[in-house]
Amino acid sequence: MRDDGGSVVLERRTQKVQPPQMYQVVMLNDDYTPMEFVVGIIQEFFSKDLEEATRIMLKIHLDGKGVCGVFTKDVAATKVDRVLEAAHKAGHPLQCVSEPVD
Ligand code: TYC
């Protein structure tokens, strides 16, 4: 095949770039961390407004866990680190994990 610049190309295919595997940050319920603290964490680290953060916190409280956001692998891992650090500093047992989205 000849392209317009005169150079020879063996084949012309549509480039297929796969989107990166995404990771969800899942926060876990516990019996000790105050609800207001969890709401504040979700607002601060996951950029949610008060209403959305409260909705997510209550879902975690009732269901045992809930998704706070979906990110690339490194960003999700950093979010988990920051949340655990803030919870530890405040003396709360709040836990969260990052897991691949289907
Ligand atoms: N269950 C906690 C309480 O009743 C509140 C809570 C919500 C804790 C969400 C952790 O991820 C969590 N104080």
Side-chain angles (χ1 to χ4, degrees), residues 58-77:
L58 283 175
K59 194 231 180 266
I60 302 165
H61 178 71
L62 296 172
D63 295 353
K65 63 181 180 176
V67 176
C68 293
V70 176
F71 309 95
T72 55
K73 188 174 190 175
D74 289 2
V75 173

Side-chain angles (χ1 to χ4, degrees), residues 27-35 38 57 60-61 94:
M27 199 166 286
L28 308 176
N29 188 37
D30 67 71
D31 291 339
Y32 306 103
T33 305
M35 290 184 173
V38 178
M57 182 281 294
I60 302 165
H61 178 71
L94 183 64

